[in-house]
């Protein structure tokens, strides 16, 4: 399966749960999708809400025809860090996840792989 076929399969699988988003200007993504889920609990009637939580997932995909190097991956890592830092939350916010899908048809350089594995962002 080549990168384009994988991307099409990914889009089809996400279509049921995720909303497509406009692509950011930089870095170059080929797919952006968002999932917003909420959960609420009630006591006897809906007007007596006991809790409400929101879970958000943001997925961004990029495709590379040549081997992914650390220099090529750096803007994508920076984008994820900045997006998480700029995320607006409410009192009902439980969690948000930013997922990067990097489709690399020619593999990944060792340093780029190490940089990607180190990336951990969390906001609750």
């Amino acid at each position: 399966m080549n990168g384009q076929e994988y991307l099409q399969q990914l889009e089809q699988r996400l279509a049921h749960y995720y909303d497509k988003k406009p692509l950011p200007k930089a870095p170059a993504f080929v797919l952006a999708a968002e999932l917003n889920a909420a959960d609420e609990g009630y006591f006897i009637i809906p007007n007596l809400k006991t809790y409400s939580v929101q879970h958000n997932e943001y997925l961004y995909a990029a495709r590379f025809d040549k081997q992914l190097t650390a220099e090529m991956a750096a803007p994508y890592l920076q984008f994820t860090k900045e997006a998480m830092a700029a995320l607006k939350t409410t009192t009902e916010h439980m969690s948000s996840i930013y997922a990067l899908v990097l489709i690399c048809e020619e593999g990944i350089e060792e340093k780029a792989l190490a940089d990607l594995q180190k990336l951990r962002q969390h906001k609750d």
Side-chain angles (χ1 to χ4, degrees):
M1 175 182 303
N2 67 25
Q4 187 60 36
E5 291 170 346
Y6 180 77
L7 183 61
Q8 289 173 347
Q9 187 178 40
L10 180 63
E11 281 187 73
Q12 290 173 352
R13 290 180 177 176
L14 294 175
H16 298 291
Y17 303 103
Y18 285 73
D19 297 321
K20 281 184 109 175
K21 292 179 60 172
L23 298 175
K25 293 183 176 154
F29 288 107
V30 292
L31 175 66
E34 179 177 334
L35 168 74
N36 302 107
D39 189 22
E40 295 180 335
Y42 303 99
F43 181 72
I44 301 174
I45 59 173
N47 291 346
L48 298 174
K49 191 180 342 179
T50 59
Y51 70 91
S52 178
V53 294
Q54 295 175 349
H55 305 278
N56 305 307
E57 292 186 28
Y58 307 92
L59 182 133
Y60 293 90
R63 184 170 165 247
F64 302 93
D65 292 332
K66 54 186 176 183
Q67 185 179 36
L68 181 67
T69 64
E71 294 79 28
M72 294 166 63
Y76 297 93
L77 296 171
Q78 189 61 33
F79 172 83
T80 305
K81 290 176 186 177
E82 290 172 1
M84 187 64 83
L87 182 67
K88 303 286 189 236
T89 61
T90 65
T91 56
E92 297 175 344
H93 179 262
M94 178 65 90
S95 65
S96 291
I97 297 170
Y98 279 84
L100 284 177
V101 177
L102 303 177
I103 303 167
C104 308
E105 297 194 41
E106 297 297 322
I108 302 173
E109 181 184 74
E110 288 297 320
K111 181 168 179 1
L113 183 59
D115 291 346
L116 289 165
Q117 289 176 335
K118 283 192 280 185
L119 179 66
R120 295 284 188 268
Q121 297 289 320
H122 180 47
K123 186 176 224 174
D124 53 25

